[in-house]
Amino acid sequence: MSSDVPDPTDVEARTVENVRIEDEMEQSYIDYAMSVIAGRALPDVRDGLKPVHRRILYAMHEMGVTSGSSHRKSSSIVGETMGDYHPHGDSAIYDTLVRMAQDFSMRYPLVDGQGNFGSMDGDPAAAPRYTEARMSAIAEELLEDIEKDTVDFQSNYDDRKQEPIVLPSAFPNLLVNGSSGIAVGMSTNIPPHNLGEVIDATVELTDNPDATVEELMEHVKGPDFPTGANIVGRDAIYSAYATGRGRIRVRAEFEVEEWKSGRERIVVTELPYQENKARLVERIAEDVNDGEIEGISDLRDESDRDGVRIVIELKRGANTEIVKNKLLENHLERTFGVINLALVDGQPRVLTLKETLEEYISHRREVVRRRSEYDLAEAEDRAHILEGRLKALENVDDVVELIRNSEDRSAAKEGLREEFDFSQAQAEHIVRMQLGSLTSMEAAEIEDEYEEVQAEIERLTAILESEEALYGVIKEELREVKDEYDDDRRTSIVEDEGTVTHEDLIPEEDVLVVMTEDDYVKRMPADRFDPQGRGGKGIIGADVKEGDRVSTVFRANTHDYLLCFTNHGQVYRLKTYEIPEMGRTARGKSAVNILDLDPGEDITAIVDTDAFGDDEYVTMVTRNGYVKRTAGEEFDNILSTGIIAASLEEGDELVDVEVTDGSTDLVIATEQGMTIRFDESEVRAMGRNARGVNGIKLQVGDAVAGLVATDESDDRALLTVTRNGYGKRTLLSEYRTQSRYGKGLIDIKANERNGPVTAVKAVEDDDHLVVMSERGQIMRTRAGEISEVGRNTMGVTVMDVEAGDAVASVDVIPAASVDDAMRDEE
C-alpha cells in the first residue's frame, strides 16, 4: 500500500483531516470575531446590556444586594461575578461596576456606590476592597419577574449554574442609558436619553405601529446626557434617529459675566459628555501659553461637589466673541458620533430609533406573555387546591371521619380520592391541613380567596387571548416606571447657527478664486492685482503643474455662500473662506478636500446666493444648447455630497448659470461666435432632475460658450472674449429678440486669429475684468478699455496670450465693488 494513502485500520489516521492553513485561520478569526461581537463588545437590543453588565446585576440579585439591602464590599460582588458567571479577570468586572455607579457616565446609574468611584477629572476609583455597592432601585426594574420564566437561561461557563441570556427589562435601557463598545470590524456608540421621553415614544409606537421617526421625535427630543450641556442643531439628531448613524455636536454650557473693572469672564458650568475636565483645563492653558488663544488673563477650576465651574478671565479690551469662538472650536464643543449598533437575535444591526423601540416592544411582549402564562398556571393550581378545600368543608364530618379511620397518610389520601373524587394534589393538601382550618371563619376566607383567584385567572386569560390587553399591560407598566423615575431633561437643544469656524477672524474682502481642470483651488485677495491697460500679459496668478490648466476664475466675498455648478450637472455649496488662501504662485489645494467632486468633474459656473431673492430662478445652459429654469428655492438645502442641478444627455455638459426673475431675456453665445436672444418665459420652470429644452440650434461642430441675462432697459454691453485673447463689447440692445431654438445672429468672427469664444459677460464701462489664462497668467483691466463696436466684428486684443497658452476664464468685478483707492490709481 502506498505511504501516501492512510491505513483504513489506523484509527488515528482516520480522525486526521487535512485543512488549508488559510481556511483554518479565516474560520478561526471569524469565530473569534463573532465571540467578541456577541459575547463582550455589543449590547443586546432587548435589555441594552453587554454580558458583563448583565452578569454583575444578576450576581447582585442572587446575593440579595438590592436597593433595600445594606451595601456590600465591591470586592465581594466582583468575586461572586467572576467565580460564577464572568471568568475574565477582576479588573474588567470592577471597571464595569464603577462605570455603572458614576452619575456622570450613566444617565440613570444601575449601581448605588459608596466610596470613591472616580471623577470627571479622570481620577480612578478606589480599590474594590475600599468601596461598597448595591443595586440601584431602577436596576431592579431590569430584573423584575426574572424568576417567573420570563426569559431564557443558559449554563454558566462551568455548567454549575444557570444565568439569564437577557433580562426582562421593564424599560428600554439601551436608549435610556446608551452604550459604547469596540468589537472586531465594528463599533457601537449609543447616547443616553431621558427615560420619560423614551417611554412616551414607546407607548406612542405601541398605540400606533405606523408612527414615523418624526412623530416619535415629538416625544424623544434628542439625547439627554448625564453631564447636561447643549446639542447644537436638530438635523443631526434626525439623521441619527432616521438612519442609525449621525454626528451630533455637543457644546458646553457657559455664560459671559461682567466682572470687575469692566472686564468680562467666561464661566463654564456644564461639559460635553465624557469630557475629562482636568485635561480640558490643561489644553486651554497650553493654547494660551502657545499664543493660540489671546485675551485670557487667568484660568482656574472652581468645581466642587455641587457641580462644574471653570472660570476663564479675560484681559481688559479682549474681544470676547473671538475668545469664545476659539474656545468653542478647540475645547468647549465636541462631536458625539452616533452608531446605533446592537445585537438583534444574536446578529449585529444598525437600528433606527423606530426599529430600536420595535425590538424592545417585541421583547417586552414576550416577557409579559411568559409571565402571564406562569402566573396563570400558578393561579390555576391554587384554584384547584381551593376547590378541594371547599369540597372538604362541605363534607367536613365525613372527611374527618375518613382520615381518623385510615391506617396512615397514604391510606387517607387514597380514601379521599376514592370517596370524594379529589385529585392527588387536593388529597395531599387536605391530609396536611390543620383542624383549625375547618372553622367557619376559615371557610369564609377560603371562599374570598377563591373568588380573587378566579378573577385573576380571568384577567390573565384575557391578557393571553387579546393582543390589545397584552399591550395595555405593557403600556401600564411603562407608565408606572416613568412615574417612579422620570426627571427633567439635562441636555438642552439649541439652534444650529453654523459650524464654529474662524469666521469672526476672517475679514470681509473681495477675493479671486482660481480653479484648474485637475481640481486645484485657492483664493487670493483681489486687490493684489493692479489694473492694467488692455493687451497686457498680466502676472502669474497660479503655478499650475504640467498637464494641468486653469479652468475658472471668479470673484466673491470671503463670507459669501456660493453655489458651485459643475459640468456633470451637480451643484455644491460652500463659503468662500473655506477655500484656502494662498499666494499668487501657489498651485492651490485639491478641491476634493473641500467639495466631493467625482473624477473629471469641474466647476463651470458660480452663483453667489446673496444675489438670490424671492421668486427667482436658476437658469442653466448646457454645451449642446439645452436651457432650463428651476426655482431658486429648490437649491436651499444642499448636501455636502452635492445635489442634481440638471440631468444631462450622454456627452453633454453644464456650461453656464444665471439668476433670473422670470421677466428677463436670455442671450446664449456659442464658441463659433453665434448668439441668440429670447424671452425666458419661453422656457417653462421645471424641476432639478429635468434636462431642459432646446435654446439654440447649433451648427455642426459648434457648442455653447456662455449665458447672459438682460432686459429691454439694460444699457450694458455684451463682452465677448475669445480663446486667443481677443474681445469686444457690443451694446445688448443690438441683439434683437427672436424665438427660442433658432440659429441666432453672428456676434464675433471666430476665425483663426480670434479662436473660439471662451466667455461672454454683461458689463458696464467702469466694471473691472479679471482675465486668466490656462497657464496661470492673470490680468485685471477696466471694461471700458475694450472697444465698443457692433456685432459681427473681429475685436481687439484683450490679453497678450503667449504661444501655447489660451484664455481660460473671465470674471467681472462690478463697478460698485471696486475700491475707491483702486479707482484713484486709474
Side-chain angles (χ1 to χ4, degrees):
M1 184 177 291
S2 171
S3 59
D4 295 335
V5 180
D7 184 352
T9 62
D10 187 345
V11 176
E12 231 179 83
R14 292 203 307 270
T15 59
V16 173
E17 181 181 354
N18 292 322
V19 179
R20 295 176 67 246
I21 190 170
E22 297 94 331
D23 296 339
E24 179 62 27
M25 292 183 67
E26 178 181 349
Q27 186 58 48
S28 296
Y29 187 77
I30 290 173
D31 293 343
Y32 160 74
M34 288 306 299
S35 172
V36 172
I37 289 168
R40 293 194 188 183
L42 300 185
D44 193 295
V45 69
R46 296 169 291 180
D47 61 7
L49 300 174
K50 301 176 188 177
V52 63
H53 299 87
R54 191 177 300 116
R55 287 164 176 168
I56 290 172
L57 293 177
Y58 187 65
M60 295 173 79
H61 173 76
E62 290 287 278
M63 295 168 66
V65 187
T66 62
S67 61
S69 72
S70 60
H71 290 78
R72 289 280 293 274
K73 283 291 184 183
S74 298
S75 55
S76 172
I77 298 169
V78 169
E80 198 77 21
T81 305
M82 182 172 60
D84 287 343
Y85 304 112
H86 198 73
H88 292 291
D90 59 336
S91 61
I93 299 172
Y94 185 54
D95 288 345
T96 302
L97 179 72
V98 165
R99 188 178 185 280
M100 288 198 292
Q102 293 174 336
D103 59 5
F104 54 87
S105 292
M106 298 201 81
R107 183 62 177 83
Y108 300 89
L110 301 178
V111 170
D112 176 17
Q114 188 168 274
N116 175 17
F117 278 84
S119 72
M120 288 182 67
D121 290 329
D123 300 320
R129 62 182 180 276
Y130 297 122
T131 62
E132 296 179 341
R134 64 182 178 186
M135 270 198 290
S136 65
I138 198 170
E140 293 182 38
E141 303 291 346
L142 296 175
L143 292 130
E144 186 72 24
D145 298 321
I146 195 170
E147 71 283 349
K148 292 186 176 182
D149 191 34
T150 50
V151 294
D152 292 333
F153 280 68
Q154 64 185 5
S155 296
N156 72 334
Y157 69 93
D158 61 0
D159 290 332
R160 289 185 302 108
K161 288 178 171 287
Q162 293 285 301
E163 62 173 319
I165 294 174
V166 67
L167 300 186
S169 188
F171 62 92
N173 183 58
L174 181 66
L175 288 174
V176 168
N177 271 317
S179 185
S180 63
I182 300 174
V184 178
M186 62 186 69
S187 63
T188 186
N189 202 29
I190 303 170
H193 292 78
N194 182 271
L195 179 132
E197 292 181 359
V198 172
I199 286 179
D200 287 343
T202 309
V203 171
E204 169 73 20
L205 189 59
T206 304
D207 287 332
N208 179 18
D210 295 326
T212 64
V213 170
E214 292 92 335
E215 291 170 335
L216 294 177
M217 283 184 67
E218 292 178 7
H219 302 286
V220 182
K221 308 301 181 184
D224 190 22
F225 298 108
T227 54
N230 303 286
I231 294 174
V232 184
R234 288 175 168 78
D235 290 346
I237 299 174
Y238 175 78
S239 174
Y241 288 165
T243 67
R245 295 178 181 272
R247 295 179 61 80
I248 295 175
R249 287 164 50 202
V250 186
R251 179 180 295 175
E253 174 67 22
F254 61 88
E255 58 182 20
V256 179
E257 297 180 352
E258 291 288 339
W259 196 45
K260 61 184 180 182
S261 304
R263 294 161 62 185
E264 292 182 320
R265 62 184 181 183
I266 299 172
V267 179
V268 182
T269 53
E270 294 176 3
L271 293 178
Y273 184 47
Q274 297 175 329
E275 181 67 80
N276 184 309
K277 177 164 60 68
R279 182 64 189 125
L280 171 71
V281 173
E282 288 177 12
R283 292 200 314 268
I284 295 175
E286 289 170 1
D287 277 4
V288 172
N289 292 333
D290 294 342
E292 293 292 327
I293 303 178
E294 298 178 352
I296 294 178
S297 62
D298 192 17
L299 168 68
R300 59 184 179 274
D301 184 2
E302 297 180 355
S303 305
D304 55 23
R305 66 179 59 190
D306 295 324
V308 173
R309 181 178 169 85
I310 301 172
V311 179
I312 303 167
E313 295 179 1
L314 305 185
K315 296 177 181 178
R316 184 178 287 104
N319 188 322
T320 305
E321 287 301 310
I322 291 178
V323 175
K324 184 175 72 174
N325 275 3
K326 276 285 191 179
L327 290 170
L328 282 171
E329 182 178 4
N330 297 318
H331 304 289
L332 300 184
E333 186 172 290
R334 65 183 298 174
T335 299
F336 187 96
V338 177
I339 308 174
N340 197 34
L341 180 72
L343 293 175
V344 180
D345 296 327
Q347 300 297 317
R349 272 183 57 195
V350 175
L351 301 165
T352 65
L353 173 64
K354 181 177 180 179
E355 289 170 341
T356 304
L357 293 178
E358 285 174 337
E359 293 295 337
Y360 172 76
I361 292 171
S362 176
H363 168 60
R364 196 60 191 165
R365 178 186 177 281
E366 182 68 10
V367 167
V368 173
R369 183 190 64 77
R370 291 176 62 163
R371 183 189 66 198
S372 299
E373 290 175 346
Y374 181 91
D375 287 343
L376 179 61
E378 292 278 301
E380 288 174 340
D381 288 345
R382 181 59 181 167
H384 181 64
I385 296 300
L386 293 173
E387 288 169 354
R389 293 185 67 174
L390 289 172
K391 185 189 292 187
L393 288 171
E394 292 174 1
N395 303 279
V396 61
D397 294 334
D398 294 336
V399 167
V400 171
E401 182 70 20
L402 187 151
I403 294 173
R404 187 165 49 194
N405 294 330
S406 300
E407 291 183 8
D408 53 26
R409 285 178 178 267
S410 297
K413 286 187 285 185
E414 188 63 30
L416 288 171
R417 292 179 63 187
E418 291 178 359
E419 184 69 25
F420 300 101
D421 197 26
F422 286 121
S423 70
Q424 179 69 32
Q426 289 173 331
E428 180 75 32
H429 182 80
I430 291 167
V431 168
R432 289 189 285 105
M433 283 173 57
Q434 297 179 352
L435 284 174
S437 301
L438 302 177
T439 65
S440 59
M441 183 176 294
E442 284 288 335
E445 290 178 358
I446 293 171
E447 289 177 354
D448 291 342
E449 183 184 356
Y450 182 70
E451 290 178 3
E452 291 175 3
V453 171
Q454 285 298 120
E456 178 69 2
I457 289 173
E458 290 179 9
R459 185 186 73 85
L460 293 169
T461 302
I463 291 173
L464 291 170
E465 292 179 350
S466 167
E467 287 287 309
E468 183 178 351
L470 189 149
Y471 283 122
V473 172
I474 293 174
K475 291 186 292 183
E476 180 183 353
E477 293 178 350
L478 283 170
R479 292 190 182 107
E480 289 174 357
V481 173
K482 178 186 174 183
D483 292 342
E484 181 71 23
Y485 303 103
D486 190 23
D487 58 2
D488 295 332
R489 278 190 68 87
R490 299 181 188 177
T491 301
S492 301
I493 300 173
V494 299
E495 292 302 320
D496 187 358
E497 299 175 354
T499 304
V500 178
T501 65
H502 289 294
E503 184 167 354
D504 289 329
L505 306 176
I506 299 172
E508 289 201 35
E509 62 176 343
D510 285 343
V511 296
L512 297 178
V513 178
V514 179
M515 296 199 69
T516 74
E517 290 184 351
D518 284 350
D519 294 330
Y520 283 90
V521 60
K522 67 174 181 176
R523 62 180 168 92
M524 304 175 289
D527 58 12
R528 289 188 186 175
F529 301 92
D530 296 333
Q532 300 175 313
R534 70 167 181 84
K537 291 185 177 181
I539 60 176
I540 295 175
D543 182 17
V544 296
K545 67 177 183 178
E546 186 176 351
D548 194 10
R549 299 184 300 180
V550 170
S551 60
T552 307
V553 62
F554 62 89
R555 180 201 63 87
N557 186 280
T558 47
H559 287 244
D560 287 350
Y561 268 115
L562 306 175
L563 295 185
C564 302
F565 293 83
T566 74
N567 57 334
H568 289 182
Q570 292 283 112
V571 59
Y572 302 83
R573 192 176 88 151
L574 80 161
K575 269 210 163 182
T576 309
Y577 64 69
E578 294 176 345
I579 300 170
E581 181 176 359
M582 297 185 179
R584 287 192 302 107
T585 58
R587 177 181 302 166
K589 184 177 181 179
S590 178
V592 295
N593 295 317
I594 305 169
L595 299 175
D596 191 13
L597 298 176
D598 291 331
E601 187 174 17
D602 300 315
I603 292 175
T604 55
I606 306 291
V607 171
D608 193 328
T609 56
D610 289 353
F612 267 31
D614 294 336
D615 302 324
E616 290 195 322
Y617 300 90
V618 174
T619 302
M620 295 161 270
V621 66
T622 74
R623 182 175 179 82
N624 290 349
Y626 288 99
V627 62
K628 64 171 285 193
R629 288 192 304 145
T630 300
E633 62 189 22
E634 293 203 29
F635 297 90
D636 287 344
N637 299 311
I638 298 179
L639 305 174
S640 60
T641 54
I643 61 174
I644 295 173
S647 293
L648 304 175
E649 290 183 338
E650 186 174 353
D652 201 3
E653 294 183 343
L654 186 62
V655 170
D656 207 354
V657 178
E658 284 277 359
V659 177
T660 61
D661 61 10
S663 63
T664 62
D665 288 346
L666 304 178
V667 179
I668 299 175
T670 76
E671 293 180 353
Q672 295 302 315
M674 302 298 292
T675 57
I676 187 171
R677 175 174 177 168
F678 56 87
D679 194 310
E680 74 166 293
S681 63
E682 292 195 39
V683 181
R684 63 177 177 82
M686 55 193 77
R688 290 188 296 102
N689 288 310
R691 180 194 65 180
V693 297
N694 287 301
I696 186 171
K697 190 173 293 184
L698 297 171
Q699 299 177 10
V700 176
D702 202 0
V704 170
L707 173 70
V708 168
T710 183
D711 57 43
E712 292 182 358
S713 63
D714 196 346
D715 59 0
R716 294 178 299 171
L718 181 70
L719 169 72
T720 305
V721 179
T722 69
R723 182 175 173 80
N724 292 345
Y726 293 92
K728 70 177 183 70
R729 289 185 303 130
T730 304
L731 290 175
L732 281 162
S733 58
E734 292 196 23
Y735 299 84
R736 61 179 174 83
T737 303
Q738 302 174 260
S739 296
R740 177 178 61 81
Y741 198 42
K743 291 183 178 180
L745 306 172
I746 297 176
D747 173 41
I748 192 171
K749 294 178 179 178
N751 51 26
E752 186 175 347
R753 187 201 77 157
N754 286 349
V757 173
T758 292
V760 289
K761 302 289 180 181
V763 297
E764 296 179 351
D765 285 359
D766 290 335
D767 291 345
H768 280 203
L769 307 178
V770 178
V771 186
M772 194 158 193
S773 77
E774 293 177 347
R775 290 183 177 176
Q777 291 294 116
I778 191 169
M779 186 185 79
R780 177 172 173 174
T781 189
R782 181 172 167 271
E785 294 276 340
I786 300 171
S787 302
E788 186 176 291
V789 295
R791 290 190 304 101
N792 195 13
T793 51
M794 292 282 289
V796 296
T797 302
V798 176
M799 182 180 191
D800 184 7
V801 179
E802 295 180 349
D805 201 0
V807 173
S809 182
V810 179
D811 197 53
V812 178
I813 302 177
S817 299
V818 178
D819 290 341
D820 291 337
M822 190 67 70
R823 202 175 283 122
D824 292 340
E825 289 181 9
E826 298 175 27

